[in-house]
PDB file of all heavy atoms in Angstrom:
ATOM      1  N   GLY E1424       0.697  -1.269  -0.008  1.00 98.00           N
ATOM      2  CA  GLY E1424       0.058  -0.066  -0.054  1.00 98.00           C
ATOM      3  C   GLY E1424       0.784   1.331  -0.006  1.00 98.00           C
ATOM      4  O   GLY E1424       0.172   2.468  -0.257  1.00 98.00           O
ATOM      5  N   ARG E1425       2.155   1.122   0.107  1.00 98.00           N
ATOM      6  CA  ARG E1425       2.994   2.451   0.183  1.00 98.00           C
ATOM      7  C   ARG E1425       2.906   3.289  -1.020  1.00 98.00           C
ATOM      8  O   ARG E1425       2.959   4.483  -0.959  1.00 98.00           O
ATOM      9  CB  ARG E1425       4.394   2.080   0.599  1.00 98.00           C
ATOM     10  CG  ARG E1425       4.453   1.467   2.109  1.00 98.00           C
ATOM     11  CD  ARG E1425       5.915   1.135   2.426  1.00 98.00           C
ATOM     12  NE  ARG E1425       6.178   0.534   3.662  1.00 98.00           N
ATOM     13  CZ  ARG E1425       5.949  -0.750   3.922  1.00 98.00           C
ATOM     14  NH1 ARG E1425       5.601  -1.588   2.962  1.00 98.00           N
ATOM     15  NH2 ARG E1425       6.168  -1.190   5.157  1.00 98.00           N
ATOM     16  N   LEU E1426       2.874   2.551  -2.132  1.00 98.00           N
ATOM     17  CA  LEU E1426       2.933   3.194  -3.389  1.00 98.00           C
ATOM     18  C   LEU E1426       1.630   4.115  -3.630  1.00 98.00           C
ATOM     19  O   LEU E1426       1.705   5.175  -4.002  1.00 98.00           O
ATOM     20  CB  LEU E1426       3.185   2.316  -4.698  1.00 98.00           C
ATOM     21  CG  LEU E1426       3.311   3.001  -5.963  1.00 98.00           C
ATOM     22  CD1 LEU E1426       4.451   4.034  -5.931  1.00 98.00           C
ATOM     23  CD2 LEU E1426       3.610   1.891  -7.049  1.00 98.00           C
ATOM     24  N   ALA E1427       0.475   3.452  -3.312  1.00 98.00           N
ATOM     25  CA  ALA E1427      -0.810   4.211  -3.378  1.00 98.00           C
ATOM     26  C   ALA E1427      -0.772   5.450  -2.373  1.00 98.00           C
ATOM     27  O   ALA E1427      -1.271   6.518  -2.730  1.00 98.00           O
ATOM     28  CB  ALA E1427      -1.915   3.342  -3.107  1.00 98.00           C
ATOM     29  N   ALA E1428      -0.292   5.229  -1.190  1.00 98.00           N
ATOM     30  CA  ALA E1428      -0.255   6.238  -0.201  1.00 98.00           C
ATOM     31  C   ALA E1428       0.632   7.371  -0.736  1.00 98.00           C
ATOM     32  O   ALA E1428       0.383   8.624  -0.420  1.00 98.00           O
ATOM     33  CB  ALA E1428       0.362   5.725   1.181  1.00 98.00           C
ATOM     34  N   ALA E1429       1.713   7.151  -1.503  1.00 98.00           N
ATOM     35  CA  ALA E1429       2.538   8.241  -2.027  1.00 98.00           C
ATOM     36  C   ALA E1429       1.881   9.058  -3.069  1.00 98.00           C
ATOM     37  O   ALA E1429       2.293  10.119  -3.353  1.00 98.00           O
ATOM     38  CB  ALA E1429       3.873   7.514  -2.530  1.00 98.00           C
ATOM     39  N   CYS E1430       0.862   8.446  -3.756  1.00 98.00           N
ATOM     40  CA  CYS E1430       0.105   9.181  -4.687  1.00 98.00           C
ATOM     41  C   CYS E1430      -0.886  10.199  -4.088  1.00 98.00           C
ATOM     42  O   CYS E1430      -1.495  11.024  -4.841  1.00 98.00           O
ATOM     43  CB  CYS E1430      -0.582   8.119  -5.612  1.00 98.00           C
ATOM     44  SG  CYS E1430       0.347   7.085  -6.496  1.00 98.00           S
ATOM     45  N   HIS E1431      -1.232   9.920  -2.981  1.00 98.00           N
ATOM     46  CA  HIS E1431      -2.307  10.800  -2.272  1.00 98.00           C
ATOM     47  C   HIS E1431      -1.998  12.321  -2.349  1.00 98.00           C
ATOM     48  O   HIS E1431      -0.765  12.666  -2.166  1.00 98.00           O
ATOM     49  CB  HIS E1431      -2.415  10.448  -0.686  1.00 98.00           C
ATOM     50  CG  HIS E1431      -3.405  11.240   0.017  1.00 98.00           C
ATOM     51  ND1 HIS E1431      -4.899  10.902  -0.019  1.00 98.00           N
ATOM     52  CD2 HIS E1431      -3.367  12.281   0.892  1.00 98.00           C
ATOM     53  CE1 HIS E1431      -5.488  11.766   0.719  1.00 98.00           C
ATOM     54  NE2 HIS E1431      -4.595  12.590   1.305  1.00 98.00           N
ATOM     55  N   PRO E1432      -2.968  13.194  -2.720  1.00 98.00           N
ATOM     56  CA  PRO E1432      -4.347  12.948  -2.680  1.00 98.00           C
ATOM     57  C   PRO E1432      -4.913  12.511  -3.983  1.00 98.00           C
ATOM     58  O   PRO E1432      -6.145  12.441  -4.193  1.00 98.00           O
ATOM     59  CB  PRO E1432      -4.842  14.411  -2.405  1.00 98.00           C
ATOM     60  CG  PRO E1432      -3.957  15.287  -3.087  1.00 98.00           C
ATOM     61  CD  PRO E1432      -2.482  14.609  -2.791  1.00 98.00           C
ATOM     62  N   ALA E1433      -4.163  12.126  -4.929  1.00 98.00           N
ATOM     63  CA  ALA E1433      -4.697  11.678  -6.274  1.00 98.00           C
ATOM     64  C   ALA E1433      -5.253  10.298  -6.056  1.00 98.00           C
ATOM     65  O   ALA E1433      -4.632   9.441  -5.372  1.00 98.00           O
ATOM     66  CB  ALA E1433      -3.553  11.583  -7.363  1.00 98.00           C
ATOM     67  N   PRO E1434      -6.431  10.091  -6.609  1.00 98.00           N
ATOM     68  CA  PRO E1434      -7.000   8.696  -6.537  1.00 98.00           C
ATOM     69  C   PRO E1434      -6.208   7.744  -7.408  1.00 98.00           C
ATOM     70  O   PRO E1434      -5.559   8.155  -8.419  1.00 98.00           O
ATOM     71  CB  PRO E1434      -8.509   8.874  -7.061  1.00 98.00           C
ATOM     72  CG  PRO E1434      -8.377  10.138  -8.044  1.00 98.00           C
ATOM     73  CD  PRO E1434      -7.327  11.008  -7.449  1.00 98.00           C
ATOM     74  N   VAL E1435      -6.185   6.440  -7.079  1.00 98.00           N
ATOM     75  CA  VAL E1435      -5.438   5.477  -7.674  1.00 98.00           C
ATOM     76  C   VAL E1435      -6.337   4.422  -8.196  1.00 98.00           C
ATOM     77  O   VAL E1435      -7.218   3.889  -7.431  1.00 98.00           O
ATOM     78  CB  VAL E1435      -4.303   4.800  -6.846  1.00 98.00           C
ATOM     79  CG1 VAL E1435      -3.617   3.756  -7.594  1.00 98.00           C
ATOM     80  CG2 VAL E1435      -3.400   5.895  -6.279  1.00 98.00           C
ATOM     81  N   TRP E1436      -6.391   4.081  -9.481  1.00 98.00           N
ATOM     82  CA  TRP E1436      -7.177   3.048 -10.139  1.00 98.00           C
ATOM     83  C   TRP E1436      -6.305   1.995 -10.556  1.00 98.00           C
ATOM     84  O   TRP E1436      -5.512   1.966 -11.433  1.00 98.00           O
ATOM     85  CB  TRP E1436      -7.887   3.704 -11.333  1.00 98.00           C
ATOM     86  CG  TRP E1436      -9.028   2.794 -11.935  1.00 98.00           C
ATOM     87  CD1 TRP E1436      -8.821   1.761 -12.874  1.00 98.00           C
ATOM     88  CD2 TRP E1436     -10.466   2.915 -11.732  1.00 98.00           C
ATOM     89  NE1 TRP E1436      -9.963   1.147 -13.120  1.00 98.00           N
ATOM     90  CE2 TRP E1436     -10.993   1.901 -12.589  1.00 98.00           C
ATOM     91  CE3 TRP E1436     -11.195   3.820 -10.950  1.00 98.00           C
ATOM     92  CZ2 TRP E1436     -12.446   1.753 -12.574  1.00 98.00           C
ATOM     93  CZ3 TRP E1436     -12.542   3.650 -11.024  1.00 98.00           C
ATOM     94  CH2 TRP E1436     -13.146   2.609 -11.833  1.00 98.00           C
ATOM     95  N   THR E1437      -6.326   0.799  -9.730  1.00 98.00           N
ATOM     96  CA  THR E1437      -5.470  -0.260  -9.964  1.00 98.00           C
ATOM     97  C   THR E1437      -6.088  -1.356 -10.906  1.00 98.00           C
ATOM     98  O   THR E1437      -7.212  -1.830 -10.477  1.00 98.00           O
ATOM     99  CB  THR E1437      -5.011  -0.894  -8.653  1.00 98.00           C
ATOM    100  OG1 THR E1437      -4.270   0.137  -7.881  1.00 98.00           O
ATOM    101  CG2 THR E1437      -4.059  -2.140  -8.901  1.00 98.00           C
ATOM    102  N   LEU E1438      -5.473  -1.807 -11.799  1.00 98.00           N
ATOM    103  CA  LEU E1438      -5.992  -2.875 -12.786  1.00 98.00           C
ATOM    104  C   LEU E1438      -4.902  -3.954 -12.526  1.00 98.00           C
ATOM    105  O   LEU E1438      -3.732  -3.817 -12.726  1.00 98.00           O
ATOM    106  CB  LEU E1438      -5.894  -2.394 -14.229  1.00 98.00           C
ATOM    107  CG  LEU E1438      -6.907  -1.222 -14.545  1.00 98.00           C
ATOM    108  CD1 LEU E1438      -6.784  -0.920 -16.007  1.00 98.00           C
ATOM    109  CD2 LEU E1438      -8.284  -1.578 -14.150  1.00 98.00           C
ATOM    110  N   LEU E1439      -5.475  -5.224 -12.131  1.00 98.00           N
ATOM    111  CA  LEU E1439      -4.648  -6.242 -11.729  1.00 98.00           C
ATOM    112  C   LEU E1439      -4.774  -7.486 -12.713  1.00 98.00           C
ATOM    113  O   LEU E1439      -6.042  -7.756 -13.077  1.00 98.00           O
ATOM    114  CB  LEU E1439      -5.096  -6.816 -10.334  1.00 98.00           C
ATOM    115  CG  LEU E1439      -4.807  -5.880  -9.173  1.00 98.00           C
ATOM    116  CD1 LEU E1439      -5.529  -6.419  -7.836  1.00 98.00           C
ATOM    117  CD2 LEU E1439      -3.448  -5.532  -8.864  1.00 98.00           C
ATOM    118  N   ILE E1440      -3.815  -8.174 -12.964  1.00 97.00           N
ATOM    119  CA  ILE E1440      -3.775  -9.501 -13.482  1.00 97.00           C
ATOM    120  C   ILE E1440      -3.246 -10.430 -12.448  1.00 97.00           C
ATOM    121  O   ILE E1440      -2.124 -10.293 -12.026  1.00 97.00           O
ATOM    122  CB  ILE E1440      -3.014  -9.691 -14.808  1.00 97.00           C
ATOM    123  CG1 ILE E1440      -3.624  -8.876 -16.084  1.00 97.00           C
ATOM    124  CG2 ILE E1440      -2.877 -11.167 -15.248  1.00 97.00           C
ATOM    125  CD1 ILE E1440      -2.995  -8.872 -17.284  1.00 97.00           C
ATOM    126  N   SER E1441      -4.177 -11.286 -11.988  1.00 96.00           N
ATOM    127  CA  SER E1441      -3.819 -12.172 -10.806  1.00 96.00           C
ATOM    128  C   SER E1441      -2.922 -13.365 -11.196  1.00 96.00           C
ATOM    129  O   SER E1441      -3.270 -14.101 -12.146  1.00 96.00           O
ATOM    130  CB  SER E1441      -5.066 -12.655 -10.174  1.00 96.00           C
ATOM    131  OG  SER E1441      -4.715 -13.572  -9.049  1.00 96.00           O
ATOM    132  N   ASP E1442      -1.878 -13.578 -10.484  1.00 93.00           N
ATOM    133  CA  ASP E1442      -1.015 -14.753 -10.652  1.00 93.00           C
ATOM    134  C   ASP E1442      -0.900 -15.512  -9.261  1.00 93.00           C
ATOM    135  O   ASP E1442      -0.077 -16.340  -9.137  1.00 93.00           O
ATOM    136  CB  ASP E1442       0.319 -14.406 -11.170  1.00 93.00           C
ATOM    137  CG  ASP E1442       1.106 -13.664 -10.103  1.00 93.00           C
ATOM    138  OD1 ASP E1442       0.577 -12.935  -9.265  1.00 93.00           O
ATOM    139  OD2 ASP E1442       2.318 -13.987 -10.104  1.00 93.00           O
ATOM    140  N   VAL E1443      -1.883 -15.307  -8.369  1.00 94.00           N
ATOM    141  CA  VAL E1443      -1.651 -15.866  -7.065  1.00 94.00           C
ATOM    142  C   VAL E1443      -2.921 -16.689  -6.664  1.00 94.00           C
ATOM    143  O   VAL E1443      -4.133 -16.316  -7.106  1.00 94.00           O
ATOM    144  CB  VAL E1443      -1.446 -14.846  -5.982  1.00 94.00           C
ATOM    145  CG1 VAL E1443      -0.169 -14.037  -6.292  1.00 94.00           C
ATOM    146  CG2 VAL E1443      -2.619 -13.799  -5.837  1.00 94.00           C
ATOM    147  N   PRO E1444      -2.814 -17.764  -5.914  1.00 93.00           N
ATOM    148  CA  PRO E1444      -3.884 -18.507  -5.432  1.00 93.00           C
ATOM    149  C   PRO E1444      -4.845 -17.579  -4.636  1.00 93.00           C
ATOM    150  O   PRO E1444      -4.421 -16.967  -3.784  1.00 93.00           O
ATOM    151  CB  PRO E1444      -3.204 -19.604  -4.718  1.00 93.00           C
ATOM    152  CG  PRO E1444      -1.833 -19.781  -5.189  1.00 93.00           C
ATOM    153  CD  PRO E1444      -1.425 -18.335  -5.607  1.00 93.00           C
ATOM    154  N   GLY E1445      -6.131 -17.735  -5.027  1.00 93.00           N
ATOM    155  CA  GLY E1445      -7.108 -16.890  -4.201  1.00 93.00           C
ATOM    156  C   GLY E1445      -7.339 -15.576  -4.764  1.00 93.00           C
ATOM    157  O   GLY E1445      -8.259 -14.797  -4.364  1.00 93.00           O
ATOM    158  N   ASP E1446      -6.429 -14.943  -5.596  1.00 96.00           N
ATOM    159  CA  ASP E1446      -6.575 -13.653  -6.310  1.00 96.00           C
ATOM    160  C   ASP E1446      -6.591 -12.500  -5.345  1.00 96.00           C
ATOM    161  O   ASP E1446      -7.182 -11.415  -5.606  1.00 96.00           O
ATOM    162  CB  ASP E1446      -7.843 -13.622  -7.205  1.00 96.00           C
ATOM    163  CG  ASP E1446      -7.834 -14.783  -8.224  1.00 96.00           C
ATOM    164  OD1 ASP E1446      -6.751 -15.097  -8.612  1.00 96.00           O
ATOM    165  OD2 ASP E1446      -8.965 -15.341  -8.521  1.00 96.00           O
ATOM    166  N   ASP E1447      -6.043 -12.620  -4.104  1.00 97.00           N
ATOM    167  CA  ASP E1447      -6.033 -11.514  -3.206  1.00 97.00           C
ATOM    168  C   ASP E1447      -5.200 -10.497  -3.611  1.00 97.00           C
ATOM    169  O   ASP E1447      -3.920 -10.688  -3.788  1.00 97.00           O
ATOM    170  CB  ASP E1447      -5.621 -12.081  -1.794  1.00 97.00           C
ATOM    171  CG  ASP E1447      -5.684 -10.979  -0.738  1.00 97.00           C
ATOM    172  OD1 ASP E1447      -5.859  -9.859  -1.006  1.00 97.00           O
ATOM    173  OD2 ASP E1447      -5.658 -11.415   0.497  1.00 97.00           O
ATOM    174  N   PRO E1448      -5.580  -9.260  -3.853  1.00 98.00           N
ATOM    175  CA  PRO E1448      -4.710  -8.152  -4.418  1.00 98.00           C
ATOM    176  C   PRO E1448      -3.528  -7.870  -3.621  1.00 98.00           C
ATOM    177  O   PRO E1448      -2.565  -7.344  -4.130  1.00 98.00           O
ATOM    178  CB  PRO E1448      -5.795  -6.846  -4.366  1.00 98.00           C
ATOM    179  CG  PRO E1448      -7.112  -7.546  -4.481  1.00 98.00           C
ATOM    180  CD  PRO E1448      -7.052  -8.775  -3.737  1.00 98.00           C
ATOM    181  N   VAL E1449      -3.580  -8.157  -2.270  1.00 98.00           N
ATOM    182  CA  VAL E1449      -2.330  -7.742  -1.458  1.00 98.00           C
ATOM    183  C   VAL E1449      -1.215  -8.773  -1.809  1.00 98.00           C
ATOM    184  O   VAL E1449      -0.077  -8.443  -1.496  1.00 98.00           O
ATOM    185  CB  VAL E1449      -2.748  -7.837  -0.025  1.00 98.00           C
ATOM    186  CG1 VAL E1449      -2.793  -9.250   0.574  1.00 98.00           C
ATOM    187  CG2 VAL E1449      -1.792  -7.030   0.922  1.00 98.00           C
ATOM    188  N   ASN E1450      -1.525  -9.906  -2.408  1.00 97.00           N
ATOM    189  CA  ASN E1450      -0.452 -10.807  -2.798  1.00 97.00           C
ATOM    190  C   ASN E1450      -0.012 -10.686  -4.259  1.00 97.00           C
ATOM    191  O   ASN E1450       0.980 -11.336  -4.665  1.00 97.00           O
ATOM    192  CB  ASN E1450      -0.905 -12.185  -2.572  1.00 97.00           C
ATOM    193  CG  ASN E1450      -0.872 -12.543  -1.035  1.00 97.00           C
ATOM    194  OD1 ASN E1450      -0.044 -12.057  -0.300  1.00 97.00           O
ATOM    195  ND2 ASN E1450      -1.737 -13.342  -0.571  1.00 97.00           N
ATOM    196  N   ILE E1451      -0.649  -9.868  -5.011  1.00 97.00           N
ATOM    197  CA  ILE E1451      -0.347  -9.706  -6.416  1.00 97.00           C
ATOM    198  C   ILE E1451       0.802  -8.598  -6.443  1.00 97.00           C
ATOM    199  O   ILE E1451       0.532  -7.438  -6.116  1.00 97.00           O
ATOM    200  CB  ILE E1451      -1.464  -9.436  -7.302  1.00 97.00           C
ATOM    201  CG1 ILE E1451      -2.578 -10.455  -7.265  1.00 97.00           C
ATOM    202  CG2 ILE E1451      -1.049  -9.131  -8.719  1.00 97.00           C
ATOM    203  CD1 ILE E1451      -3.885 -10.014  -7.936  1.00 97.00           C
ATOM    204  N   ALA E1452       1.979  -9.048  -6.728  1.00 97.00           N
ATOM    205  CA  ALA E1452       3.092  -8.029  -6.809  1.00 97.00           C
ATOM    206  C   ALA E1452       3.342  -7.399  -5.374  1.00 97.00           C
ATOM    207  O   ALA E1452       3.826  -6.359  -5.272  1.00 97.00           O
ATOM    208  CB  ALA E1452       2.980  -6.967  -7.786  1.00 97.00           C
ATOM    209  N   SER E1453       2.925  -8.146  -4.325  1.00 98.00           N
ATOM    210  CA  SER E1453       3.091  -7.682  -2.963  1.00 98.00           C
ATOM    211  C   SER E1453       2.306  -6.453  -2.645  1.00 98.00           C
ATOM    212  O   SER E1453       2.547  -5.646  -1.799  1.00 98.00           O
ATOM    213  CB  SER E1453       4.460  -7.516  -2.546  1.00 98.00           C
ATOM    214  OG  SER E1453       5.296  -8.694  -2.763  1.00 98.00           O
ATOM    215  N   GLY E1454       1.163  -6.280  -3.506  1.00 98.00           N
ATOM    216  CA  GLY E1454       0.165  -5.224  -3.090  1.00 98.00           C
ATOM    217  C   GLY E1454       0.571  -3.778  -2.895  1.00 98.00           C
ATOM    218  O   GLY E1454       0.449  -3.188  -1.836  1.00 98.00           O
ATOM    219  N   PRO E1455       1.299  -3.129  -4.014  1.00 98.00           N
ATOM    220  CA  PRO E1455       1.807  -1.887  -3.771  1.00 98.00           C
ATOM    221  C   PRO E1455       0.734  -0.815  -3.549  1.00 98.00           C
ATOM    222  O   PRO E1455       0.977   0.291  -3.182  1.00 98.00           O
ATOM    223  CB  PRO E1455       2.678  -1.614  -5.041  1.00 98.00           C
ATOM    224  CG  PRO E1455       2.036  -2.613  -6.045  1.00 98.00           C
ATOM    225  CD  PRO E1455       1.680  -3.759  -5.286  1.00 98.00           C
ATOM    226  N   THR E1456      -0.420  -1.091  -4.055  1.00 98.00           N
ATOM    227  CA  THR E1456      -1.582   0.008  -4.128  1.00 98.00           C
ATOM    228  C   THR E1456      -2.670  -0.453  -3.242  1.00 98.00           C
ATOM    229  O   THR E1456      -3.765   0.170  -3.342  1.00 98.00           O
ATOM    230  CB  THR E1456      -1.907   0.292  -5.549  1.00 98.00           C
ATOM    231  OG1 THR E1456      -2.499  -0.944  -6.073  1.00 98.00           O
ATOM    232  CG2 THR E1456      -0.884   0.775  -6.319  1.00 98.00           C
ATOM    233  N   VAL E1457      -2.682  -1.557  -2.447  1.00 98.00           N
ATOM    234  CA  VAL E1457      -3.739  -1.940  -1.603  1.00 98.00           C
ATOM    235  C   VAL E1457      -3.312  -2.057  -0.124  1.00 98.00           C
ATOM    236  O   VAL E1457      -2.161  -2.262   0.179  1.00 98.00           O
ATOM    237  CB  VAL E1457      -4.354  -3.203  -2.048  1.00 98.00           C
ATOM    238  CG1 VAL E1457      -4.937  -3.016  -3.487  1.00 98.00           C
ATOM    239  CG2 VAL E1457      -3.335  -4.342  -1.989  1.00 98.00           C
ATOM    240  N   ALA E1458      -4.252  -1.910   0.774  1.00 98.00           N
ATOM    241  CA  ALA E1458      -3.937  -1.984   2.226  1.00 98.00           C
ATOM    242  C   ALA E1458      -3.490  -3.370   2.552  1.00 98.00           C
ATOM    243  O   ALA E1458      -4.005  -4.343   1.973  1.00 98.00           O
ATOM    244  CB  ALA E1458      -5.113  -1.544   3.018  1.00 98.00           C
ATOM    245  N   ASP E1459      -2.682  -3.505   3.559  1.00 98.00           N
ATOM    246  CA  ASP E1459      -2.138  -4.791   4.019  1.00 98.00           C
ATOM    247  C   ASP E1459      -2.454  -5.084   5.413  1.00 98.00           C
ATOM    248  O   ASP E1459      -1.960  -4.350   6.417  1.00 98.00           O
ATOM    249  CB  ASP E1459      -0.553  -4.728   3.725  1.00 98.00           C
ATOM    250  CG  ASP E1459       0.135  -5.959   4.359  1.00 98.00           C
ATOM    251  OD1 ASP E1459      -0.442  -6.994   4.371  1.00 98.00           O
ATOM    252  OD2 ASP E1459       1.293  -5.797   4.697  1.00 98.00           O
ATOM    253  N   PRO E1460      -3.238  -6.124   5.704  1.00 98.00           N
ATOM    254  CA  PRO E1460      -3.559  -6.405   7.094  1.00 98.00           C
ATOM    255  C   PRO E1460      -2.511  -7.148   7.844  1.00 98.00           C
ATOM    256  O   PRO E1460      -2.473  -7.298   9.129  1.00 98.00           O
ATOM    257  CB  PRO E1460      -4.817  -7.207   6.941  1.00 98.00           C
ATOM    258  CG  PRO E1460      -4.658  -7.923   5.628  1.00 98.00           C
ATOM    259  CD  PRO E1460      -4.013  -7.025   4.777  1.00 98.00           C
ATOM    260  N   SER E1461      -1.394  -7.736   7.138  1.00 98.00           N
ATOM    261  CA  SER E1461      -0.422  -8.454   7.821  1.00 98.00           C
ATOM    262  C   SER E1461       0.530  -7.489   8.500  1.00 98.00           C
ATOM    263  O   SER E1461       0.569  -6.356   8.278  1.00 98.00           O
ATOM    264  CB  SER E1461       0.303  -9.322   6.794  1.00 98.00           C
ATOM    265  OG  SER E1461       1.067  -8.672   5.997  1.00 98.00           O
ATOM    266  N   THR E1462       1.347  -8.079   9.411  1.00 98.00           N
ATOM    267  CA  THR E1462       2.240  -7.163  10.220  1.00 98.00           C
ATOM    268  C   THR E1462       3.720  -7.601  10.090  1.00 98.00           C
ATOM    269  O   THR E1462       4.022  -8.756   9.606  1.00 98.00           O
ATOM    270  CB  THR E1462       1.879  -7.390  11.706  1.00 98.00           C
ATOM    271  OG1 THR E1462       2.077  -8.645  12.081  1.00 98.00           O
ATOM    272  CG2 THR E1462       0.396  -6.863  11.884  1.00 98.00           C
ATOM    273  N   CYS E1463       4.594  -6.803  10.660  1.00 98.00           N
ATOM    274  CA  CYS E1463       5.973  -7.125  10.710  1.00 98.00           C
ATOM    275  C   CYS E1463       6.177  -8.540  11.542  1.00 98.00           C
ATOM    276  O   CYS E1463       7.015  -9.349  11.271  1.00 98.00           O
ATOM    277  CB  CYS E1463       6.703  -6.008  11.447  1.00 98.00           C
ATOM    278  SG  CYS E1463       7.114  -4.651  10.361  1.00 98.00           S
ATOM    279  N   ALA E1464       5.418  -8.621  12.575  1.00 97.00           N
ATOM    280  CA  ALA E1464       5.378  -9.857  13.466  1.00 97.00           C
ATOM    281  C   ALA E1464       5.066 -11.073  12.561  1.00 97.00           C
ATOM    282  O   ALA E1464       5.743 -12.188  12.676  1.00 97.00           O
ATOM    283  CB  ALA E1464       4.506  -9.776  14.585  1.00 97.00           C
ATOM    284  N   ASP E1465       4.104 -10.988  11.658  1.00 98.00           N
ATOM    285  CA  ASP E1465       3.881 -11.998  10.679  1.00 98.00           C
ATOM    286  C   ASP E1465       5.013 -12.465   9.906  1.00 98.00           C
ATOM    287  O   ASP E1465       5.294 -13.576   9.612  1.00 98.00           O
ATOM    288  CB  ASP E1465       2.493 -11.637   9.880  1.00 98.00           C
ATOM    289  CG  ASP E1465       1.307 -11.558  10.636  1.00 98.00           C
ATOM    290  OD1 ASP E1465       1.141 -12.282  11.661  1.00 98.00           O
ATOM    291  OD2 ASP E1465       0.457 -10.657  10.246  1.00 98.00           O
ATOM    292  N   ALA E1466       5.588 -11.432   9.273  1.00 97.00           N
ATOM    293  CA  ALA E1466       6.745 -11.525   8.370  1.00 97.00           C
ATOM    294  C   ALA E1466       7.831 -12.206   9.166  1.00 97.00           C
ATOM    295  O   ALA E1466       8.529 -13.156   8.726  1.00 97.00           O
ATOM    296  CB  ALA E1466       7.219 -10.209   7.843  1.00 97.00           C
ATOM    297  N   LEU E1467       8.143 -11.793  10.371  1.00 97.00           N
ATOM    298  CA  LEU E1467       9.234 -12.382  11.209  1.00 97.00           C
ATOM    299  C   LEU E1467       8.907 -13.908  11.522  1.00 97.00           C
ATOM    300  O   LEU E1467       9.810 -14.818  11.558  1.00 97.00           O
ATOM    301  CB  LEU E1467       9.413 -11.542  12.471  1.00 97.00           C
ATOM    302  CG  LEU E1467      10.629 -11.892  13.391  1.00 97.00           C
ATOM    303  CD1 LEU E1467      11.898 -11.607  12.588  1.00 97.00           C
ATOM    304  CD2 LEU E1467      10.602 -11.067  14.631  1.00 97.00           C
ATOM    305  N   ALA E1468       7.626 -14.187  11.723  1.00 97.00           N
ATOM    306  CA  ALA E1468       7.319 -15.538  12.095  1.00 97.00           C
ATOM    307  C   ALA E1468       7.537 -16.428  10.824  1.00 97.00           C
ATOM    308  O   ALA E1468       8.070 -17.623  10.973  1.00 97.00           O
ATOM    309  CB  ALA E1468       5.809 -15.630  12.359  1.00 97.00           C
TER     310      ALA E1468
END
């Protein structure tokens, strides 16, 4: 989500081609333009 946050206040219209199981946008290219519910603790685990 950091790339979208850097665009603020401009709106961001993201078009995705999914290559991940479940098609969750946060996992497509590691979700540069979508919010991420996971945490540093999750990554460390």
